[in-house]
Amino acid sequence: MSKDKKEHLLSWIENFIYLIIWALLFMMPIYGAYRSGMKEIDWHFVGQIWLKTTPMIVVFAIHNYLLLPRLLFRKRAKSYAAYVLCLIGLLVAVNIYDNAVQRMGPDNRPPFNPAPQEQMGPKKYREERTLPFRERNAVQPPFFFRSNPHKPPFIYMPFLPFPMILSPIVIAIFMIGLNIGIKSLFQSIRDSQRLKELETQNLQTELDYLKYQINPHFFMNTLNNIHALVDINPEQAKETVLELSKMMRYVLYESNKRTVSLWQEIDFLQHYIKLMKLRYTDRLELIVSIHKEELPPAQVPPLLLITFVENAFKHGVSYQEPSFIHITMDVCDGKLRYLVVNSCHKSPEGEAHGIGLENVRKRLQLIYDQQSTLDIQQRADEYQVLLLIPLQL
């Protein structure tokens, strides 16, 4: 899945969660009326609750789509806190205004304005003051859905000392906290995906850098061989140029891929061995036990196997002493086993060891992590390299 599709999917899931939460809140008045045993739902009452919920939706939308992404997630905490306080204050102001409107009668006067106590008598005064609270339906909805013009809108919270002010503050804090939690969760998922993509890009960049080091290193050694053959045997030098052209075609068109066919890598390896055989004399014992038809069509990193053979010819062959190179490739326990054993001779003092093996170690670590094995053993007269990598079919 592409990066844009992942971002779109996460945004869709996040908004869908918000939609479910708000849908449940809008269904609560209907569910409360149903559970209370009311024969018919008072849709006027339900509509009033929905209308009173509208300011919360507006506050949520401003907080979710403006304040969180543009202030909080951009480390502008002071500005974010100031705007949140303003939103809570606005919600409180709307709540106070709504209560004031509910308390006014048709002639813009309070509907219950009994005479002072001294004019009516204590008993009648108490009856007049408590009349609106005693005139209720026989079947009452749950306490948090009771329609009472003397109580704050949205949610009935009798346990608060100043419900007209504290009720919207508590609701706003709960709503904002829930919004921050959900938004932070999806933001952490997005950050994790971006980190993985960045790690993948860094990995590919490092692998490309190692490949660019391999190509000049390989061509430098091959051109040195051709230069030596020109003086020794010009005809062989011509054949070497043809073999080199085949190898260059592979390096130019295949090495830029992440993986190549094992059979292609074997063909490239055999071209190089054939090129080297033209240079060295019969004093070299060269045994290659690679049977391509017996190996599976697996995928391997390009130019990975050639490094060990290069080092074997470079450091394991001597014109003065008998030399040998044994190359074996097979499948063992679900892994590709590649073994190169060559004779060991003293290197001239001051000779550079090159960058081939070091690059191979880095590439194996980046590609296979701990799933590969590179075992190098050096004895007095023998140098052995064993490589085990997982088969990628």
Side-chain angles (χ1 to χ4, degrees):
M1 186 180 295
S2 65
K3 178 181 177 181
D4 293 338
K5 289 184 178 180
K6 290 180 180 179
E7 289 283 345
H8 180 72
L9 179 61
L10 285 176
S11 299
W12 187 88
I13 295 175
E14 180 184 353
N15 291 324
F16 184 70
I17 291 176
Y18 296 145
L19 180 62
I20 291 178
I21 293 175
W22 284 108
L24 291 175
L25 289 177
F26 271 83
M27 290 298 295
M28 284 180 67
I30 301 176
Y31 178 75
Y34 171 77
R35 289 297 302 271
S36 64
M38 296 179 64
K39 296 181 179 180
E40 294 184 2
I41 299 176
D42 187 355
W43 289 106
H44 176 71
F45 169 68
V46 173
Q48 284 184 335
I49 295 181
W50 286 351
L51 183 63
K52 294 172 183 179
T53 310
T54 304
M56 290 194 297
I57 298 178
V58 174
V59 169
F60 170 81
I62 295 174
H63 181 263
N64 183 69
Y65 298 106
L66 293 178
L67 300 188
L68 282 182
R70 298 190 180 185
L71 296 180
L72 185 61
F73 291 155
R74 293 183 181 181
K75 310 301 181 182
R76 299 172 60 184
K78 293 182 179 180
S79 299
Y80 168 78
Y83 279 104
V84 167
L85 291 177
C86 290
L87 286 179
I88 294 177
L90 179 63
L91 200 60
V92 171
V94 171
N95 191 54
I96 294 175
Y97 174 78
D98 183 75
N99 276 269
V101 171
Q102 288 184 1
R103 290 176 182 271
M104 300 300 292
D107 55 350
N108 292 330
R109 296 180 61 186
F112 307 106
N113 189 19
Q117 183 175 356
E118 59 273 10
Q119 298 180 10
M120 299 177 59
K123 184 177 180 180
K124 188 176 182 181
Y125 177 78
R126 286 195 301 270
E127 290 178 355
E128 291 290 338
R129 291 291 293 173
T130 58
L131 180 63
F133 301 97
R134 291 184 287 105
E135 292 179 350
R136 298 177 181 177
N137 296 329
V139 179
Q140 296 291 335
F143 74 93
F144 44 81
F145 291 125
R146 294 173 188 171
S147 179
N148 192 331
H150 292 272
K151 297 298 179 181
F154 315 141
I155 294 179
Y156 175 45
M157 305 178 71
F159 52 85
L160 294 176
F162 303 99
M164 191 184 304
I165 297 176
L166 292 183
S167 177
I169 293 178
V170 172
I171 295 172
I173 293 175
F174 174 77
M175 179 180 62
I176 290 173
L178 181 64
N179 187 202
I180 292 176
I182 297 175
K183 199 77 171 179
S184 299
L185 174 62
F186 282 91
Q187 187 68 23
S188 65
I189 295 175
R190 293 187 181 94
D191 292 341
S192 178
Q193 289 183 349
R194 293 190 186 103
L195 182 60
K196 289 181 180 179
E197 292 173 358
L198 183 60
E199 290 176 351
T200 303
Q201 292 175 359
N202 291 338
L203 172 62
Q204 189 60 43
T205 301
E206 188 168 355
L207 287 175
D208 292 340
Y209 173 72
L210 294 175
K211 287 179 184 179
Y212 294 147
Q213 285 186 312
I214 290 171
N215 294 350
H217 178 260
F218 165 75
F219 283 117
M220 179 181 65
N221 290 343
T222 307
L223 291 174
N224 287 337
N225 295 335
I226 294 176
H227 178 267
L229 282 175
V230 169
D231 296 331
I232 299 173
N233 191 333
E235 292 299 324
Q236 286 186 347
K238 293 179 182 180
E239 296 182 22
T240 303
V241 172
L242 293 177
E243 291 295 329
L244 180 61
S245 66
K246 298 177 183 178
M247 298 170 69
M248 286 180 63
R249 187 177 299 110
Y250 176 82
V251 171
L252 293 175
Y253 295 106
E254 302 296 332
S255 65
N256 290 329
K257 299 179 180 178
R258 184 177 180 83
T259 60
V260 296
S261 169
L262 175 61
W263 295 349
Q264 289 180 297
E265 189 76 1
I266 291 175
D267 290 338
F268 177 74
L269 196 63
Q270 289 176 341
H271 284 306
Y272 181 81
I273 293 173
K274 184 177 180 180
L275 186 150
M276 293 297 102
K277 287 173 64 176
L278 296 175
R279 173 180 176 182
Y280 294 104
T281 63
D282 295 335
R283 296 177 64 86
L284 171 64
E285 178 186 300
L286 180 61
I287 301 176
V288 181
S289 300
I290 299 178
H291 305 286
K292 186 172 69 173
E293 63 278 0
E294 297 178 1
L295 297 173
Q299 296 289 316
V300 295
L303 303 178
L304 179 68
L305 306 179
I306 189 64
T307 304
F308 308 113
V309 178
E310 275 191 282
N311 287 336
F313 277 102
K314 182 177 180 181
H315 303 291
V317 179
S318 173
Y319 290 103
Q320 290 79 24
E321 302 176 16
S323 306
F324 68 89
I325 297 177
H326 299 164
I327 305 172
T328 305
M329 186 182 298
D330 55 20
V331 177
C332 179
D333 296 331
K335 291 187 175 183
L336 180 67
R337 188 173 73 97
Y338 181 51
L339 178 65
V340 178
V341 183
N342 58 270
S343 54
C344 188
H345 305 282
K346 292 183 179 181
S347 301
E349 294 184 2
E351 181 179 352
H353 293 284
I355 59 174
L357 286 179
E358 186 64 26
N359 277 354
V360 169
R361 290 184 186 276
K362 291 181 179 179
R363 294 182 70 194
L364 290 174
Q365 178 66 28
L366 291 172
I367 297 173
Y368 297 108
D369 197 11
Q370 304 297 328
Q371 299 179 357
S372 64
T373 301
L374 179 59
D375 182 27
I376 300 177
Q377 297 182 6
Q378 184 173 0
R379 301 181 180 91
D381 58 347
E382 184 180 280
Y383 192 85
Q384 177 178 304
V385 177
L386 174 63
L387 175 66
L388 296 173
I389 58 176
L391 283 176
Q392 298 178 354
L393 300 178

